[in-house]
PDB file of all heavy atoms in Angstrom:
ATOM      1  N   ARG A 359      -2.911  15.702  19.504  1.00  0.00           N
ATOM      2  CA  ARG A 359      -3.201  17.048  19.047  1.00  0.00           C
ATOM      3  C   ARG A 359      -2.438  18.074  19.844  1.00  0.00           C
ATOM      4  O   ARG A 359      -1.937  19.059  19.324  1.00  0.00           O
ATOM      5  CB  ARG A 359      -4.712  17.288  19.110  1.00  0.00           C
ATOM      6  CG  ARG A 359      -5.175  18.627  18.641  1.00  0.00           C
ATOM      7  CD  ARG A 359      -6.670  18.866  18.840  1.00  0.00           C
ATOM      8  NE  ARG A 359      -7.102  18.620  20.205  1.00  0.00           N
ATOM      9  CZ  ARG A 359      -6.912  19.441  21.176  1.00  0.00           C
ATOM     10  NH1 ARG A 359      -6.348  20.610  20.981  1.00  0.00           N
ATOM     11  NH2 ARG A 359      -7.335  19.183  22.407  1.00  0.00           N
ATOM     12  N   ALA A 365      -4.647  17.429  14.363  1.00  0.00           N
ATOM     13  CA  ALA A 365      -5.671  16.460  14.797  1.00  0.00           C
ATOM     14  C   ALA A 365      -5.297  15.092  14.373  1.00  0.00           C
ATOM     15  O   ALA A 365      -4.766  14.811  13.293  1.00  0.00           O
ATOM     16  CB  ALA A 365      -7.045  16.851  14.280  1.00  0.00           C
ATOM     17  N   THR A 382     -12.357  10.814   8.459  1.00  0.00           N
ATOM     18  CA  THR A 382     -12.764  12.105   9.030  1.00  0.00           C
ATOM     19  C   THR A 382     -12.480  13.229   7.973  1.00  0.00           C
ATOM     20  O   THR A 382     -11.344  13.266   7.492  1.00  0.00           O
ATOM     21  CB  THR A 382     -12.098  12.408  10.319  1.00  0.00           C
ATOM     22  OG1 THR A 382     -12.317  11.341  11.275  1.00  0.00           O
ATOM     23  CG2 THR A 382     -12.580  13.713  10.914  1.00  0.00           C
ATOM     24  N   GLY A 385     -10.079  19.133   8.390  1.00  0.00           N
ATOM     25  CA  GLY A 385     -10.477  20.307   9.101  1.00  0.00           C
ATOM     26  C   GLY A 385     -11.481  20.098  10.164  1.00  0.00           C
ATOM     27  O   GLY A 385     -11.746  21.018  10.987  1.00  0.00           O
ATOM     28  N   VAL A 386     -12.036  18.922  10.300  1.00  0.00           N
ATOM     29  CA  VAL A 386     -13.054  18.630  11.265  1.00  0.00           C
ATOM     30  C   VAL A 386     -12.376  18.241  12.611  1.00  0.00           C
ATOM     31  O   VAL A 386     -11.479  17.384  12.641  1.00  0.00           O
ATOM     32  CB  VAL A 386     -14.037  17.505  10.796  1.00  0.00           C
ATOM     33  CG1 VAL A 386     -14.938  17.053  11.986  1.00  0.00           C
ATOM     34  CG2 VAL A 386     -14.883  18.014   9.685  1.00  0.00           C
ATOM     35  N   THR A 387     -12.806  18.864  13.728  1.00  0.00           N
ATOM     36  CA  THR A 387     -12.315  18.464  15.048  1.00  0.00           C
ATOM     37  C   THR A 387     -13.561  18.164  15.901  1.00  0.00           C
ATOM     38  O   THR A 387     -14.697  18.509  15.549  1.00  0.00           O
ATOM     39  CB  THR A 387     -11.537  19.591  15.624  1.00  0.00           C
ATOM     40  OG1 THR A 387     -12.251  20.775  15.694  1.00  0.00           O
ATOM     41  CG2 THR A 387     -10.250  19.854  14.902  1.00  0.00           C
ATOM     42  N   GLY A 388     -13.302  17.548  17.051  1.00  0.00           N
ATOM     43  CA  GLY A 388     -14.409  17.206  17.927  1.00  0.00           C
ATOM     44  C   GLY A 388     -15.088  15.860  17.532  1.00  0.00           C
ATOM     45  O   GLY A 388     -16.139  15.565  18.166  1.00  0.00           O
ATOM     46  N   ARG A 389     -14.553  15.195  16.548  1.00  0.00           N
ATOM     47  CA  ARG A 389     -15.120  13.903  16.150  1.00  0.00           C
ATOM     48  C   ARG A 389     -14.134  12.773  16.318  1.00  0.00           C
ATOM     49  O   ARG A 389     -14.181  11.774  15.608  1.00  0.00           O
ATOM     50  CB  ARG A 389     -15.524  13.995  14.698  1.00  0.00           C
ATOM     51  CG  ARG A 389     -16.737  14.965  14.459  1.00  0.00           C
ATOM     52  CD  ARG A 389     -18.016  14.279  14.883  1.00  0.00           C
ATOM     53  NE  ARG A 389     -19.198  15.060  14.375  1.00  0.00           N
ATOM     54  CZ  ARG A 389     -20.438  14.603  14.405  1.00  0.00           C
ATOM     55  NH1 ARG A 389     -20.673  13.437  14.915  1.00  0.00           N
ATOM     56  NH2 ARG A 389     -21.441  15.320  13.942  1.00  0.00           N
ATOM     57  N   GLU A 390     -13.251  12.991  17.346  1.00  0.00           N
ATOM     58  CA  GLU A 390     -12.150  11.970  17.503  1.00  0.00           C
ATOM     59  C   GLU A 390     -12.628  10.574  17.833  1.00  0.00           C
ATOM     60  O   GLU A 390     -11.848   9.608  17.626  1.00  0.00           O
ATOM     61  CB  GLU A 390     -11.130  12.503  18.553  1.00  0.00           C
ATOM     62  CG  GLU A 390     -10.291  13.676  18.116  1.00  0.00           C
ATOM     63  CD  GLU A 390     -10.978  15.034  18.114  1.00  0.00           C
ATOM     64  OE1 GLU A 390     -12.123  15.048  18.684  1.00  0.00           O
ATOM     65  OE2 GLU A 390     -10.435  15.980  17.612  1.00  0.00           O
ATOM     66  N   GLN A 391     -13.781  10.432  18.426  1.00  0.00           N
ATOM     67  CA  GLN A 391     -14.237   9.120  18.768  1.00  0.00           C
ATOM     68  C   GLN A 391     -14.916   8.345  17.608  1.00  0.00           C
ATOM     69  O   GLN A 391     -15.210   7.193  17.739  1.00  0.00           O
ATOM     70  CB  GLN A 391     -15.257   9.228  19.968  1.00  0.00           C
ATOM     71  CG  GLN A 391     -14.680   9.790  21.218  1.00  0.00           C
ATOM     72  CD  GLN A 391     -15.546   9.447  22.412  1.00  0.00           C
ATOM     73  OE1 GLN A 391     -16.078   8.394  22.529  1.00  0.00           O
ATOM     74  NE2 GLN A 391     -15.594  10.434  23.335  1.00  0.00           N
ATOM     75  N   THR A 392     -15.028   9.054  16.475  1.00  0.00           N
ATOM     76  CA  THR A 392     -15.590   8.427  15.307  1.00  0.00           C
ATOM     77  C   THR A 392     -14.486   8.013  14.299  1.00  0.00           C
ATOM     78  O   THR A 392     -13.312   8.420  14.487  1.00  0.00           O
ATOM     79  CB  THR A 392     -16.623   9.359  14.576  1.00  0.00           C
ATOM     80  OG1 THR A 392     -15.892  10.297  13.797  1.00  0.00           O
ATOM     81  CG2 THR A 392     -17.494  10.110  15.552  1.00  0.00           C
TER      82      THR A 392
END
Side-chain angles (χ1 to χ4, degrees):
R359 181 183 54 78
T382 303
V386 169
T387 58
R389 292 283 192 169
E390 286 77 12
Q391 296 197 41
T392 79

